[in-house]
Amino acid sequence: MREAVQRIYRERKALVASLKDVGSVVAKLDAVLIVIALLVIVFVCLLIFNKNNTLASLVPLATVVLGFSFIFGHSAQTLFESLIFIFSTHVFDVGDLVIIDDQTLTVKEFGLFSTTFRRVDGTEIVAPNALLASAKTIHNLRRSGSMGETTPLMVAYDTPLEVIEELKIRLNQYITDNNREWVSSAVLIDKMEFQNAIHLIICMEHRPNWQDWGGRWARRTKFMRNLKTILEDLDVRYTMPVQPVLMPGGPPATRGLGGFARVPSMTRGSASASSMEANRDMLGNAGTFQGSEHLRAPGRGFRAEVGPL
């Protein structure tokens, strides 16, 4: 109840600020139109009361107008684009949460020529309306409906499909128990990589949109905590496959002192064809480490140590 009341208060506050900014823009536009109307009225009056002299002065007046067009032409074009952007397109209001260039911004205020945004870290950004209207794609989160997102999950290849189905059932049960915050969820198999891992995609759809940015992350955090608990209960894991290392001509590595796997010193003459063939059979397609010519030089023994097992 408290969160609902706070949300209603924030929306009413943003609505009041939006109406205030619209009124300010209309007042500035009204002043510009009044100036233009006065100039037209003066010119019409001159034509009525002093027609000959007025027509004779049109040539130098046209030169003055042409000069002013070079000076204020860009400003007039910017003003026209801003008017179209504010009153016709009207992609956002004050208080709306928008995404522009992958940045999450809140509309603080907008004027006749520019709009002020506030980033989630408190930084204020001023952007020209003409730039927003012509070169930027604006994602309005307030005007969006239910919004969804995904998160990747990687499990071992030997994970039974029954376990994945149980994961889906438990996630749907969580969605049902929290149906005021969530709409639905899904567990999809994206790909299976080298018969080593199964890549899953966990989809979840929020019931409200992401206008309340903090609320969105709070819901997501609760969902992720519940997902971790389910994975622990089902013992769903993933570990990197073991990569064997075998020196040429030596016996399998044995555990030595200090928890290290040691391979005895070997020379070039100790490697036989039978031991190399046995090593290849044990490694399969993992291959063997042949060493460099310097290490395999006559009379040079070498010792290999693999980190703590």
Side-chain angles (χ1 to χ4, degrees), residues 65-255:
V65 172
L66 182 62
F68 274 101
S69 66
F70 282 105
I71 298 175
F72 300 104
H74 180 69
S75 298
Q77 179 182 357
T78 303
L79 175 63
F80 180 76
E81 292 178 354
S82 298
L83 293 177
I84 297 298
F85 179 74
I86 293 174
F87 294 104
S88 180
T89 309
H90 196 66
V91 295
F92 50 68
D93 295 299
V94 174
D96 286 2
L97 189 68
V98 298
I99 297 178
I100 303 175
D101 291 341
D102 296 330
Q103 294 194 45
T104 305
L105 308 170
T106 302
V107 182
K108 182 180 179 182
E109 60 182 10
F110 59 85
L112 191 58
F113 291 97
S114 63
T115 301
T116 302
F117 299 94
R118 175 174 293 172
R119 206 161 55 186
V120 292
D121 60 358
T123 304
E124 293 192 358
I125 301 173
V126 180
N129 290 336
L131 177 64
L132 297 175
S134 60
K136 298 297 179 181
T137 301
I138 301 174
H139 306 266
N140 194 321
L141 301 184
R142 179 190 288 274
R143 299 182 184 179
S144 303
S146 299
M147 303 182 66
E149 58 182 321
T150 61
T151 184
L153 183 65
M154 188 163 58
V155 300
Y157 183 79
D158 56 357
T159 303
L161 295 179
E162 293 78 8
V163 175
I164 298 177
E165 187 66 24
E166 181 66 21
L167 171 63
K168 178 179 179 181
I169 293 174
R170 294 197 183 187
L171 288 179
N172 288 334
Q173 183 61 41
Y174 176 81
I175 296 297
T176 303
D177 296 338
N178 300 271
N179 55 8
R180 297 185 62 182
E181 298 179 348
W182 301 95
V183 177
S184 62
S185 68
V187 180
L188 307 176
I189 297 179
D190 183 24
K191 61 180 179 178
M192 290 177 284
E193 192 175 44
F194 304 123
Q195 294 185 347
N196 173 45
I198 301 177
H199 293 258
L200 302 178
I201 297 179
I202 309 298
C203 307
M204 53 274 196
E205 183 179 0
H206 300 250
R207 185 168 297 279
N209 55 35
W210 296 350
Q211 171 64 26
D212 185 4
W213 195 245
R216 176 251 175 153
W217 281 105
R219 290 191 301 271
R220 178 185 171 87
T221 300
K222 292 180 181 179
F223 185 92
M224 290 300 174
R225 292 178 62 181
N226 178 75
L227 176 60
K228 182 178 184 299
T229 302
I230 295 175
L231 294 177
E232 291 175 350
D233 292 342
L234 298 177
D235 195 25
V236 178
R237 301 181 181 182
Y238 173 77
T239 55
M240 295 291 293
V242 178
Q243 300 294 330
V245 177
L246 186 65
M247 298 302 178
T254 57
R255 184 179 298 276

